Amino acid sequence: MSTQSTLDKLKSYLSEIEKNNAKGKCINAFLQLNEKAFEQAKLIDEKIKKGKAGRLAGKIIAIKANINVKGMNASCASLTLKDYTCPYDASVIEKIKKEDGLIIGMTNMDEFACGSSGETSAFGACKNPAALDLIPGGSSSGSAASVAAGFCDMALGSDTGGSIRNPASHCGVVGVKPSYGLVSRYGLIDLSMSLDQIGAFAKKAEDAALLLDVIKGRDEKDATTYQSKEIRIEKLNKLRIGIPNIKIQDKRISELISKKIKEIADKKGWQAKNIDLRHVDLAIQTYYPICYVEFFSGTRKFDGRRYGKKIEDACGPEVLRRILGGSEISKAEFKGLYYRRALRAKQLIKQEFESAFKDADCIIMPTVPRLPHKLGSKISVEEMYGYDALTIPANLAEIPALSLPIGKIDNIPVGMQILCPHLKENVMFSVAREFESII
Ligand code: GLN
């Protein structure tokens, strides 16, 4: 543990935020700061002195604004929930507090996690700290940006089709989507509940593994959760890396990744071989019907009577597109057509990964097929959805995936994705750690 007290560390992060969040570089990563942070930091420091502090003592953590933190505003970056004060802590937040992690604030995001650029927030876009005129990626834009900008040690995000890994890749930090069911979703305001997972951002794989180990585990309040063993970095002797034959928009990204794989395979004596993942091409068409239908259903509670405003009256165009699309697909006359077909395609993709993992311990591919666009530039809906072509497959297959910064192209960070079989997070983190040692 560092010698700096939690309070001093908090002060230095807050002064960085003061300088560059709303002013200076205007990163706009935070929607709200925790007013009780000073008091809480002092209590944590007292516990540290007494030798009674938990595993996250001294760690300063930012939380995506779609996760309930008691007393804070989980607005989902929407006018719908602008005045919603969380009445309780999500299960992940209870666990973080129990281990003495200090919550610094709620982060900016695409509205209701619908987006890949961070631009659909009702409270203004977030900027990429590594390249200020570019998008930071999304939807967990503020969580990735706050780690990259040096505003905190770690952050939580949610990932339905790439929302942790995509901004991690563009901002140059580590971002992890765990196996479906590893982490409780209780207290997460869902986008698409059969795909959503809460996961971690950090500068290094080791810190992300620590945060994930704290938040994981069976939760009575989320029936999809598993009891799982400790998440930690292990020593890897032999490893078979599977490389899918995927053509992407920006070839320089694949070339950079191939170079790194070759370097590590030579150094460690690991095996790298090509694998076939044909159904990955169906990912986007499979994801959106599921996402639209589940989002439509999940947002029916925002009817203006219980939480905030009626969503249709307060939301932006991307959220409205999904609500209208989801309502259309859910109509009785389309029964069995879109949603059920998408579930069948999801199953196919899942099986394809399962069979690929018979010959490979992990699969490595780019996180995002292109570099981020300029903030505010007009791109089509299809182009926006295309950002997630390579991250969605892991959500459909319910497997863990991590985006690791592996270098820069045109001075813009580029991430590489490591995917592993269901609940094999330890292999994934260990592979990431080995790559970190050569980067
Ligand atoms: N960008 C994808 C979408 O807009 C993924 C979002 C997410 O993972 N929350 O649906």
Side-chain angles (χ1 to χ4, degrees), residues 47 87 114 188 195 290 309 392 421 424:
K47 277 181 148 185
C114 298
L188 168 71
L195 302 168
I290 299 177
K309 300 201 174 62
I392 287 172
K424 291 278 185 206

Side-chain angles (χ1 to χ4, degrees), residues 88-257:
Y88 69 103
D89 278 330
S91 295
V92 290
I93 301 299
E94 275 181 3
K95 290 181 172 189
I96 286 176
K97 288 183 176 172
K98 199 161 157 242
E99 292 297 339
D100 296 314
L102 180 65
I103 290 167
I104 188 165
M106 307 297 275
T107 58
N108 204 355
M109 56 185 278
D110 280 296
E111 185 176 21
F112 282 103
C114 298
S116 310
S117 69
E119 294 168 300
T120 71
S121 165
F123 307 113
C126 174
K127 284 189 189 168
N128 187 335
L132 289 169
D133 55 337
L134 304 182
I135 55 151
S139 65
S140 313
S141 47
S143 293
S146 61
V147 174
F151 293 163
C152 59
D153 295 308
M154 306 163 157
L156 286 188
S158 66
D159 189 310
T160 315
S163 278
I164 291 178
R165 291 159 288 156
N166 164 314
S169 173
H170 292 324
C171 293
V173 298
V174 174
V176 183
K177 180 208 90 75
S179 302
Y180 189 76
L182 187 85
V183 176
S184 169
R185 287 172 298 108
Y186 180 73
L188 168 71
I189 299 168
D190 45 60
L191 167 57
S192 180
M193 62 183 180
S194 71
L195 302 168
D196 295 333
Q197 273 292 284
I198 295 175
F201 290 95
K203 289 227 166 65
K204 293 280 173 212
E206 197 178 349
D207 257 359
L210 169 66
L211 184 54
L212 195 59
D213 190 50
V214 167
I215 63 171
K216 73 158 187 5
R218 170 93 188 120
D219 181 10
E220 294 297 314
K221 297 187 190 114
D222 176 357
T224 62
T225 49
Y226 297 93
Q227 194 52 50
S228 49
K229 57 176 197 205
E230 187 191 345
I231 305 235
R232 60 191 160 107
I233 290 172
E234 292 165 348
K235 197 167 159 14
L236 292 168
N237 294 321
K238 279 190 284 181
L239 194 85
R240 297 164 306 163
I241 302 176
I243 307 166
N245 181 14
I246 293 171
K247 300 248 173 313
I248 61 165
Q249 204 172 328
D250 192 330
K251 264 184 22 204
R252 294 172 301 173
I253 299 176
S254 331
E255 283 161 11
L256 179 60
I257 291 174

Side-chain angles (χ1 to χ4, degrees), residues 9 29 56 61 63 69 74 83 104 113 165 174 182 193 262 288 304 316-317 327 358 367 375 413:
K9 204 170 174 193
L56 289 178
I61 306 168
I63 309 292
V69 180
D83 302 315
I104 188 165
R165 291 159 288 156
V174 174
L182 187 85
M193 62 183 180
K262 181 160 180 352
Y288 277 98
S327 125
K358 288 189 186 131
T367 308
L375 267 165

Side-chain angles (χ1 to χ4, degrees), residues 392-405:
I392 287 172
N395 301 76
L396 296 171
E398 303 178 11
I399 58 175
L402 177 153
S403 180
L404 185 77

Side-chain angles (χ1 to χ4, degrees), residues 75-83 111-112 121-123 311 314-316:
S75 67
C76 292
S78 178
L79 296 177
T80 314
L81 293 175
K82 189 170 127 308
D83 302 315
E111 185 176 21
F112 282 103
S121 165
F123 307 113
I311 190 166
C315 69

Side-chain angles (χ1 to χ4, degrees), residues 329-370:
I329 297 173
S330 309
K331 283 189 175 145
E333 61 260 42
F334 297 131
K335 190 162 180 265
L337 246 185
Y338 300 111
Y339 186 65
R340 292 231 188 110
R341 269 201 193 165
L343 289 181
R344 282 213 296 276
K346 175 179 188 278
Q347 201 55 26
L348 263 180
I349 291 172
K350 196 171 165 206
Q351 282 161 0
E352 187 168 58
F353 273 100
E354 277 161 12
S355 87
F357 283 127
K358 288 189 186 131
D359 301 318
D361 303 303
C362 71
I363 292 173
I364 293 186
M365 59 189 191
T367 308
V368 188
R370 54 173 288 185

